[in-house]
Amino acid sequence: MLKKIFLGLASAGLLAAPAWADPAPAREHMSHALTVTGKVATPLTLKVADLRQLPPANGGELAVTRHNGDKAETITSYRGVRLRDILDKAALDAPGHNDVKKLAIIATATDGYAVVFSWGELYNSPAGEGVIVYYEKNGKALDENDGEIGLISAKDIRTGPRHLKWLNAIEVRKLVE
């Protein structure tokens, strides 16, 4: 309803059209590959075809909820790869006994939106099972509205804040010495 009001006012020249009303921003943010950099032994650049070669992770119906608990969308199914499987392929550079505990993993989209995970979250808690880099949603390849690659943290209570469209970078950082 609110979207219709904004679009009506914009088409009447009374208000500038919001960014989400124009499909051009979605096209300009389209992601085609995912880079993995930082504290890894083997930096990677992965396209969807490369992701399909990794062990698959599938999920069923998932409500994407905003930070306030409102539902943004419902995903009926998704297919991709666990983030930790991608990190294992890149091989975390953490030679010291406790180094992995000091790592933060930052996932960034082409529009600048970024989310953070700790090593412990991904490897030492049930949440890690649900952090999926996905390339199919609702039985179809992702389109320009999502980029070719996205990320969802499916086991979060509110899934929206760590849902990335247009995913294009994973960076591993050591936070403290």
Side-chain angles (χ1 to χ4, degrees):
M1 175 71 160
L2 190 56
K3 184 175 182 176
K4 283 184 179 181
I5 293 169
F6 275 120
L7 293 176
L9 292 171
S11 66
L14 300 173
L15 181 69
W20 47 258
D22 181 5
R27 283 192 297 276
E28 83 181 38
H29 292 301
M30 188 68 172
S31 57
H32 300 286
L34 171 64
T35 61
V36 182
T37 61
K39 298 294 283 178
V40 294
T42 308
L44 302 172
T45 298
L46 303 168
K47 294 187 176 195
V48 171
D50 303 312
L51 293 171
R52 289 182 183 279
Q53 300 304 309
L54 297 172
N58 303 311
E61 188 166 310
L62 176 68
V64 179
T65 53
R66 295 182 176 95
H67 69 283
N68 64 4
D70 290 346
K71 186 164 63 167
E73 71 173 301
T74 298
I75 297 173
T76 58
S77 65
Y78 54 94
R79 181 177 179 83
V81 179
R82 281 184 186 80
L83 176 55
R84 68 177 180 222
D85 289 339
I86 294 170
L87 295 172
D88 288 347
K89 182 174 178 64
L92 297 174
D93 182 12
H97 175 69
N98 289 315
D99 285 350
V100 290
K101 299 173 196 171
K102 301 171 186 175
L103 296 179
I105 296 85
I106 303 157
T108 307
T110 59
D111 67 349
Y113 189 76
V115 299
V116 179
F117 298 92
S118 69
W119 172 87
E121 239 181 321
L122 296 175
Y123 287 89
N124 201 29
S125 82
E129 286 292 311
V131 181
I132 309 296
V133 172
Y134 67 99
Y135 44 80
E136 288 180 14
K137 178 173 91 170
N138 302 333
K140 298 178 184 174
L142 299 184
D143 60 20
E144 63 192 23
N145 293 316
D146 293 297
E148 288 185 25
I149 305 167
L151 180 139
I152 190 82
S153 184
K155 296 203 177 191
D156 284 358
I157 293 168
R158 291 188 170 100
T159 53
R162 292 203 291 186
H163 175 218
L164 276 89
K165 298 177 179 188
W166 313 304
L167 176 67
N168 74 329
I170 302 290
E171 181 186 2
V172 180
R173 287 187 196 169
K174 187 173 180 184
L175 297 179
V176 295
E177 286 304 321

